[in-house]
Amino acid sequence: MAAPPKVPAVLDPVTAPSISFARAIDDLRRGWQQRSLWGHLGWQDIRQRYRRSVLGPVWITISMAVTAVALGILYAGLFDQDLDVMLPHVLVGFIVWAFISGCIAEGSEVFIANEGLIKHLPAPLSVHVYRLVWRQLLFFAHNMIVYAVMLVFFPQDLKWTALAAVPAIALLALNGAWVALAVGVITTRFRDILPITQSVVQLMFFLTPIVWIYDQLVNSPNPAIAERARLAEFNPFLHFVEIVRQPLLGQDQVWRHWVVVLAITVVGWVAALLVLRRYRSRVSYWV
Amino acid sequence: MSVSQSTGGPVSIVTKDACVDFPIFDAKSRSLKKTVVGLVGGNIDSGARIPVIEALRDVTLDLQHGARVGLVGHNGAGKSTLLRLLSGIYEPTRGVAEIRGRVAPVFDLGVGMDPEISGLENIMIRGLFLGMTRKQMEQRVDDIADFTELGDFLRMPLRTYSTGMRVRLALGVVTSIDPEILLLDEGIGAVDAAFLEKSKQRLVELVERSGLLVFASHSEEFLRQLCDTALWLEHGRIKAQGDLDDVLRRYGGQPL
């Protein structure tokens, strides 16, 4: 049996082969070092989107407020729920969903959309991913203004556990990064994955308890509905939404959700690293 | 198979038998459907094979600090692809490419710039992309503005610029940031004669200071001013390499 290959103390990214973990990790590391670049570009993206409009990025906040309030009122009526319960539930769920779906939908075209930059300026691939997640975090921050206003009209029984929302959103960002990285590489090669991803994201909105309340359906007197609702546990998005929403609405934390999210984070990053190791150097050929 | 960039230490570009093969995905083979069908049916030969363009073949180069290489060759000979290989954008599909030094490329000039934002903001972003910090760029903005002679136009969105004005901007940025490896594509011919003269001056100075220049051009005059050696590419292979006059004479004597 051959001796195990020696791992050098410091992997030299210049001499490491194109397909190697050293180069994949070097890409992530160098991308992270260029924080001032993607930090700047992320802001730029937001200002760009609302250029020449009078209110500018405030439109992010306004459109979120209008959608969430309208849906909250609509579904409170449809499900015969108290508006005090339904509106905060829908609003926070919607804000979290905007972040998740933004990361996936834009992540699936993160390299395709940056074709020009990838082909003309040598930069780590991860720069584009960090820029995307950062931009989504900025959107999220704009949307949290709606949450703050909501707290005035619908005060929530917030406890110190509300602070758990901070690590929760950090976990969401960490997951957004691996999704964009892995799905972004795959869609660059197979362009059909792009429309598939986008319709799956749209579908998942309805399968995730955002406009409906999971607990109420599970405890429904109608056993058929309760049975059906239990299937939602298999939807990973449920756990991602809950770890942010529960603390923000002053509800008790359910550790099951955190465990599922942590497990997905680890497995996802391993998968993303494998994809990056194998296909990192191919992306500039494929875009 | 290897290529990368790093900073610090001596500047060099070394390639050995580097090849660049482009897979050409037509509408059919780029879709998942075709590959899946191909795999399931076991009919890989006709269904799943992807045509490949061999853009560069067995490129072996050893460029060290101080090299000033002119790149000549007919359209489609692989000059732009070679510049991208040397910048680290394309990693060789076979062979080795090791790049040591901070690379500043000036390729296709419209791309990589945002047409909707102002020239000043584009200067900032380009600089950040080339590894500068925001502070370093802020110190250089005046100098770049001076050099480009764009004046108040720098506050206008880039889409209002002519091609020549974009070239001025791109040249202004790369010549101000002291890159170690400067890669120029022929597009810089789009500027007017006066500005060309001015940038020649600056490029010559820069080349003297910086480590390495590779310059693709059809202008013999421009090549003679900036380069001392030359590389002649034909059909993706190095046809000749060596003294500038020598290579240019052989290249010029070639029947088209």
Side-chain angles (χ1 to χ4, degrees):
Chain A
M1 212 176 96
K6 271 187 203 145
V7 180
V10 180
L11 289 163
D12 181 1
V14 176
T15 49
S18 271
I19 297 175
S20 66
F21 282 115
R23 298 294 301 279
I25 290 163
D26 183 60
D27 186 287
L28 292 172
R29 191 181 52 79
R30 281 192 301 128
W32 185 253
Q33 284 169 349
Q34 285 188 287
R35 281 188 294 282
S36 57
L37 169 64
W38 49 261
H40 186 88
L41 289 170
W43 273 113
Q44 193 75 61
D45 289 337
I46 291 205
R47 279 190 291 156
Q48 182 58 45
R49 207 163 297 195
Y50 298 93
R51 195 160 288 250
R52 290 163 72 177
S53 84
V54 178
L55 292 178
V58 178
W59 277 116
I60 303 169
T61 315
I62 295 174
S63 62
M64 172 56 73
V66 170
T67 319
V69 169
L71 284 182
I73 294 170
L74 172 69
Y75 282 93
L78 281 179
F79 287 108
D80 193 20
Q81 293 286 332
D82 219 347
L83 193 61
D84 292 355
V85 175
M86 200 58 174
L87 194 103
H89 178 87
V90 169
L91 196 145
V92 176
F94 214 76
I95 291 175
V96 180
W97 183 256
F99 180 82
I100 294 175
S101 65
C103 282
I104 300 176
E106 289 183 14
S108 61
E109 48 186 351
V110 62
F111 302 124
I112 300 170
N114 285 305
E115 177 187 349
L117 290 175
I118 290 173
K119 279 194 177 160
H120 289 89
L121 290 169
L125 281 183
S126 58
V127 162
H128 307 289
V129 172
Y130 296 136
R131 169 190 184 177
L132 179 148
V133 175
W134 171 236
R135 177 172 67 231
Q136 290 300 329
L137 279 172
L138 291 173
F139 277 127
F140 181 82
H142 280 89
N143 288 334
M144 285 307 277
I145 299 169
V146 186
Y147 169 74
V149 173
M150 179 209 85
L151 284 182
V152 176
F153 293 100
F154 298 91
Q156 301 295 309
D157 182 20
L158 289 182
K159 305 178 208 49
W160 65 269
T161 49
L163 290 176
V166 176
I169 192 70
L171 269 176
L172 255 64
L174 209 54
N175 278 277
W178 78 252
V179 168
L181 204 54
V183 180
V185 170
I186 295 166
T187 49
T188 308
R189 172 65 184 82
F190 298 105
R191 300 295 165 105
D192 296 58
I193 308 279
L194 192 61
I196 295 175
T197 324
Q198 314 212 320
S199 33
V200 166
V201 170
Q202 218 158 45
L203 179 67
M204 291 316 286
F205 172 77
F206 295 101
L207 297 181
T208 308
I210 295 162
V211 292
W212 46 278
I213 299 177
Y214 174 63
D215 280 342
Q216 272 159 0
L217 293 188
V218 166
N219 300 323
S220 162
N222 183 340
I225 292 180
E227 186 76 16
R228 192 61 67 81
R230 225 161 274 132
L231 290 175
E233 281 284 330
F234 292 104
N235 173 4
F237 295 105
L238 173 134
H239 306 282
F240 282 92
V241 171
E242 290 297 6
I243 60 166
V244 184
R245 184 167 56 194
Q246 283 173 340
L248 286 181
L249 296 182
Q251 295 162 350
D252 292 332
Q253 308 272 314
V254 179
W255 288 106
R256 187 176 74 251
H257 299 314
W258 285 89
V259 171
V260 172
V261 168
L262 280 171
I264 292 176
T265 312
V266 172
V267 173
W269 265 105
V270 169
L273 275 175
L274 288 171
V275 169
L276 192 64
R277 171 188 174 273
R278 181 71 187 79
Y279 298 111
R280 181 192 53 80
S281 60
R282 301 301 296 160
V283 170
S284 59
Y285 285 81
W286 289 342
V287 287
Chain B
M1 289 200 292
S2 142
V3 62
S4 185
Q5 303 161 254
S6 78
T7 45
V11 176
S12 71
I13 299 180
V14 178
T15 69
K16 195 168 182 309
D17 300 327
C19 300
V20 171
D21 298 325
F22 286 104
I24 302 303
F25 308 109
D26 60 288
K28 281 171 196 159
S29 64
R30 196 162 201 163
S31 81
L32 182 66
K33 190 180 82 193
K34 195 78 176 189
T35 308
V36 170
V37 171
L39 287 176
V40 171
N43 191 10
I44 298 167
D45 244 7
S46 60
R49 182 166 284 175
I50 296 155
V52 166
I53 293 180
E54 300 180 340
L56 289 177
R57 275 271 138 284
D58 304 325
V59 173
T60 300
L61 284 175
D62 186 351
L63 308 179
Q64 297 294 330
H65 190 281
R68 295 183 283 140
V69 186
L71 202 52
V72 293
H74 302 301
N75 296 128
K79 298 188 294 294
S80 299
T81 309
L82 180 64
L83 287 177
R84 288 202 171 86
L85 176 79
L86 300 182
S87 73
I89 291 170
Y90 294 142
E91 301 186 11
T93 28
R94 270 166 295 144
V96 181
E98 287 177 19
I99 300 149
R100 293 177 194 272
R102 201 150 49 91
V103 179
V106 182
F107 299 156
D108 190 343
L109 292 143
V111 193
M113 295 209 196
D114 190 334
E116 290 302 319
I117 60 178
S118 73
L120 281 175
E121 285 171 291
N122 268 298
I123 289 177
M124 175 62 81
I125 287 175
R126 213 144 233 257
L128 290 173
F129 254 112
L130 298 176
M132 305 298 281
T133 66
R134 194 191 281 255
K135 219 180 221 144
Q136 287 171 318
M137 282 317 286
E138 274 160 9
Q139 288 162 358
R140 285 167 170 78
V141 154
D142 286 337
D143 174 49
I144 297 171
D146 246 22
F147 172 67
T148 57
E149 299 168 340
L150 288 171
D152 288 340
F153 248 98
L154 283 175
R155 294 179 203 292
M156 294 284 136
L158 197 78
R159 66 184 140 82
T160 61
Y161 286 34
S162 72
T163 316
M165 288 161 83
R166 285 172 197 222
V167 182
R168 284 173 176 235
L169 200 71
L171 274 178
V173 176
V174 289
T175 54
S176 72
I177 63 167
D178 279 331
E180 293 168 320
I181 298 173
L182 187 58
L183 305 171
L184 300 177
D185 210 343
E186 50 207 343
I188 63 170
V191 291
D192 53 59
F195 188 76
L196 206 57
E197 200 51 50
K198 186 171 157 187
S199 24
K200 268 179 207 168
Q201 197 59 43
R202 204 158 146 135
L203 283 171
V204 169
E205 282 168 27
L206 182 73
V207 167
E208 275 163 13
R209 263 180 296 145
S210 80
L212 224 161
L213 169 80
V214 183
F215 175 39
S217 178
H218 292 290
S219 153
E220 215 171 281
E221 185 202 347
F222 213 162
L223 283 168
R224 282 186 202 284
Q225 262 163 320
L226 287 178
C227 308
D228 53 7
T229 58
L231 195 81
W232 175 10
L233 276 181
E234 195 162 279
H235 302 302
R237 288 172 186 276
I238 296 178
K239 178 125 178 185
Q241 188 175 3
D243 179 66
L244 180 73
D245 285 323
D246 214 32
V247 174
L248 282 182
R249 200 176 316 117
R250 288 181 56 194
Y251 175 62
Q254 267 280 309
L256 286 172

